[in-house]
Every structure is written in C-alpha cells, then in structure tokens.
Amino acid sequence: MSGRAGLVKALAGLGLVLGVIGSITAFFLSNEGYLPGDAMVRTWATAKDRPGDGEANDSWVVGDVAVRSRFDAVTGFGIADGQDGKKLWEFVPPGRARICGSAPRADEGVLLVAYGTESKAASGGSGEPAPPGKGCSTVVAFETKDGRELWSVPRTVSDGRFAGDGFLEAGGGLALIEHERTEQEKRKPGGNRSLRALDLRTGKARWTAAVPGTCGVWDTSVGEEQVHAVLACGGDDEDASGSDGGGDVELMAAAFDRGTGALKWNVPIDARRPVSTDSKVSIESADPLVLKVVRSSNENAGRETGTFVPFDQDGRTRPGIELSGGYGQVDAAEVVGERMYALAWTYYKGRQYRLIAFDLKTGEEVWNDELDEPAAGLAVRGDRITVLCEWSTQASAITELLVYDAGDGEELDERHFREEAPSGHFFEHDGRIIVAGAAGDHAFTAFERW
C-alpha cells in the first residue's frame, strides 16, 4: 500500500509540475500570438514606400481600396480578398509640382487632392499675388476605386507658399475649397480666405458661403444638415488673421446652410474669454459639432491644456470636457453620436492609460476602464471600440489588440500580434486590421484574427 501511495503521490506531483509548465508555456505562446483564438497574424503587406522627405503622409480606406497620399504621388491599393494590397492606380502630379493638401475624408468614394509648385513670396510681401500656376493652386477629385479623375478646378492663392493642409473638405455630396485672397480682395469684406462649395462628383459650383464681413475661414466640416466652420473674426476688413495690423481677432464657431451657404449662426467658442488665433482649434466631429481647443501645450511632455467644446444644432454650447482632468491627459478621442471615446494617460513609472466614454450632453463620464498596456490608438465602429496597444511607451510597434463594448466598456476580445505591427493610423475592413506605415515602410499592412 505504501508503494502505491508513493507512486500516486509522485504522479500527482509530476502532474502538478507539468500543469505549471503547461500554463507558463501557454501564457508565453499566447503573449507571442501563437495560440489560436489569441493571435493576430499578418496576411499581406503592400510594397514598401520610397523614402520620404520628412513630410507627413495621409491615408484612407474606402470600400475595397486603401489610398496613400504623399508629397510625390497618390496611390490606390486593392484590399479585397485575393488582391492582397496590389497597386491599382497612381497619380503623379505633373512636372515638378507636389501634392500639398488633401481632404481628411473621402466621401462617397471621392477624394480631393491639391497640388502645386511652391514659390518665394514676391518682394512686396505675403499679400502680393502669386505668379500664375504657383502655390497650392490646383484641386483634383479622384474616384478612389480606380483613380479616375472626375474634375479639377483652380484655387486662388496669395503668396505662392505651401500653407499646409486644412483647406479642403468633402462630405454630404459637397467639395469645400477654402481660397486664399489677394491683397486687393482682402480690402473687401470676407477676411483672408473665402469658402466655396462644389458638387463633389461633378465639380459644378453650388454656392459661396456668406462669411461675415470681418471674418476669415479657419476650418470646416460638413454635417448632415449644416456646414460647420471655425472663423477668425475681428480686426479690420483687410485681414481677419490680424497679420496686417488689425485689431483683436477671436476664433468663432459658425454654421452655414448646406444647400445654400447662408449663415445660420456665428457664436463665441468660449463665453467667458475669447479664443485667440494662438490657440489650436480643430473640428473633431460635425454631428454633433465638437471642437478641440488647445490653449497651451508642452510638446516634450505630451501635455495640453484646453477643452473639448460640444455644440447643439442651434449653436448653444454644452458642458465642456477638459483635455486634462482626474482621468489624466487625453491623448486621442473619437466622437460617435452623443458620446466621445477617449484614451487618457497618467504618469507613474511610465504612462498608464485608460479608455473613457463621455456623455456629450452632460460632459460626464459614462464608464472608465484601465488598460494594462500603453495605448497607441483607437477606432470606433458600430458598437465596438478597437484599441491597439504597445508593449511600452518607448516601443515603436503595436503588440496587442483590445476590443470593448461601446455601451458599457466591457472587454470583449484580447489578441496579441505574432509579428509587431507598425505604429500608425489603422482601419478595420472585413474583420481585418489595416495599419498605415510611415514613409519608407510598407504603405499598408493587413492583420487578421487567428
């Protein structure tokens, strides 16, 4: 009996050891993406980009096409089953022209891109008209599925310099183009930029916005019923930006009728104190209108001071959501319906991240979940929130995917990348995660669950 008891005890001990070893092995295999049901595996990658020149790339996924815009070309890649990132089409600007701007979204499968040739300002200063054909002066509309050019129009520029992105928008069947104004035009009401709407598919002129006399267009976005804008207002009639010696200039929120361009309302962003042009103001959402107002920032520390400001359809402000609060510093946010989903971090031996849902009507938190790993980005699709995480904030690659229920924040899925994914913008397409790489890397890389 004692021999049997000893054998049983030995076998039990061996089973315990094997169980521990198996658990440890399974843990490491899961973390490295080698267990079915826990993994993300690479399915395909496009050819690597040519090296860049330090300028940012823009990326979109529209239907079964992923589009990459660089300074030297706009390229469409097929992402349907069997296409595996195959190059479908490419547009290269003529001569020595460069891609100098694009609309942030491709509405109805139409992408707006601008190109031109940069020139030095004329001797008379930035108000002098640019030489013909200089500056970011041509806007082109492309069909994203095949790269077909639908139409092109000239854009008015002033000094011929590339002023950066933000002057094109697409949505609701409209193409919005912000035009810089010449010195002579600045002396008329309308500020330093005017706003024109064209039919998105044909390029036919629809309307010119009724911008208030001392205001210039700062930023725009098309909503379901209104075209929203940030306007720089004040100073004198020569230049609403204040660069020509005008008086105080304040950034305002405005809405125009989507069908006619008539001004519906124009209100201060902050009722307590003006928002100056030194602040960074961007439109985070058009339905409802939500502005991100950054009054000051410390880029080295990654910290910003400011507020997310929601508006109702009549231009009344709702309770704001601070960029920095008890939940930490908001790093990224996405608005869907009456909620804003945000990634926020606090610092304790590295960045500690949380995923938070805010109610835009009240400004209050709906739920707040702590993440185990530093977050690199989020995307909201339907009732699911996808978050990509890095192993540490010092890492340059994605290692983990998390999925949450948008309603209550419950974690629904956790998966680990077998091969590290590039840290960049990402999209969801037919169950796959498509990550946009940096210049010189693969333009797009696709991963799927395993």
Side-chain angles (χ1 to χ4, degrees), residues 106-127:
D107 186 62
E108 299 180 3
V110 179
L111 175 63
L112 301 181
V113 171
Y115 67 84
T117 305
E118 192 167 23
S119 67
K120 296 181 179 179
S123 59
S126 62

Side-chain angles (χ1 to χ4, degrees), residues 94-405:
R96 295 183 178 180
R98 293 164 60 92
I99 304 295
C100 50
S102 57
R105 56 177 169 166
D107 186 62
E108 299 180 3
V110 179
L111 175 63
L112 301 181
V113 171
Y115 67 84
T117 305
E118 192 167 23
S119 67
K120 296 181 179 179
S123 59
S126 62
E128 291 292 329
K134 298 293 184 180
C136 204
S137 57
T138 302
V139 176
V140 184
F142 293 103
E143 181 75 64
T144 56
K145 64 182 179 181
D146 56 15
R148 178 168 53 94
E149 182 178 322
L150 299 176
W151 51 266
S152 65
V153 296
R155 172 176 174 263
T156 303
V157 297
S158 55
D159 63 9
R161 293 191 180 105
F162 287 172
D165 224 331
F167 53 83
L168 294 175
E169 167 67 328
L174 294 179
L176 300 184
I177 303 175
E178 296 173 32
H179 294 266
E180 296 179 24
R181 298 169 70 85
T182 65
E183 183 72 21
Q184 183 178 6
E185 289 172 325
K186 287 178 185 177
R187 298 184 182 279
K188 302 176 183 179
N192 67 326
R193 289 198 289 186
S194 62
L195 178 64
R196 188 164 54 127
L198 288 69
D199 184 278
L200 185 58
R201 299 207 67 88
T202 67
K204 182 180 179 180
R206 296 278 292 273
W207 47 259
T208 298
V211 180
T214 60
C215 298
V217 181
W218 191 272
D219 193 12
T220 58
S221 185
V222 182
E224 292 182 0
E225 298 179 4
Q226 301 177 145
V227 171
H228 296 294
V230 177
L231 305 180
C233 300
D236 54 32
D237 284 348
E238 290 192 0
D239 188 351
S241 70
S243 61
D244 287 349
D248 294 334
V249 179
E250 178 181 0
L251 295 180
M252 311 279 283
F256 300 92
D257 186 280
R258 209 176 79 171
T260 66
L263 181 67
K264 301 189 74 171
W265 48 262
N266 183 27
V267 300
I269 295 173
D270 189 333
R272 297 172 299 170
R273 55 178 177 145
V275 177
S276 73
T277 54
D278 292 333
S279 302
K280 296 179 182 178
V281 179
S282 59
I283 300 177
E284 296 293 299
S285 165
D287 293 304
L289 175 63
V290 179
L291 303 182
K292 179 182 178 182
V293 180
V294 180
R295 291 187 180 271
S296 63
S297 62
N298 183 334
E299 293 185 5
N300 292 331
R303 297 186 180 276
E304 296 178 327
T305 301
T307 315
F308 289 96
V309 184
F311 294 80
D312 66 17
Q313 281 291 93
D314 297 319
R316 290 185 293 265
T317 57
R318 294 170 168 178
I321 299 168
E322 297 301 313
L323 289 174
S324 182
Y327 39 77
Q329 174 72 57
V330 174
D331 211 16
E334 186 167 336
V335 175
V336 178
E338 293 294 346
R339 284 191 181 181
M340 184 178 81
Y341 302 94
L343 293 171
W345 60 269
T346 53
Y347 193 88
Y348 177 72
K349 297 181 180 180
R351 290 189 179 186
Q352 310 296 319
Y353 274 82
R354 290 183 173 276
L355 176 62
I356 311 167
F358 293 95
D359 187 318
L360 291 174
K361 291 182 178 179
T362 65
E364 300 294 326
E365 294 181 29
V366 180
W367 50 260
N368 184 325
D369 285 347
E370 184 176 358
L371 306 182
D372 293 330
E373 307 290 350
L378 83 164
V380 185
R381 188 167 184 173
D383 58 355
R384 298 290 185 268
I385 304 170
T386 301
V387 179
L388 297 189
C389 295
E390 302 167 335
W391 179 74
S392 77
T393 52
Q394 305 303 315
S396 60
I398 301 300
T399 57
E400 188 176 18
L401 174 144
L402 301 171
V403 179
Y404 295 86
D405 187 295

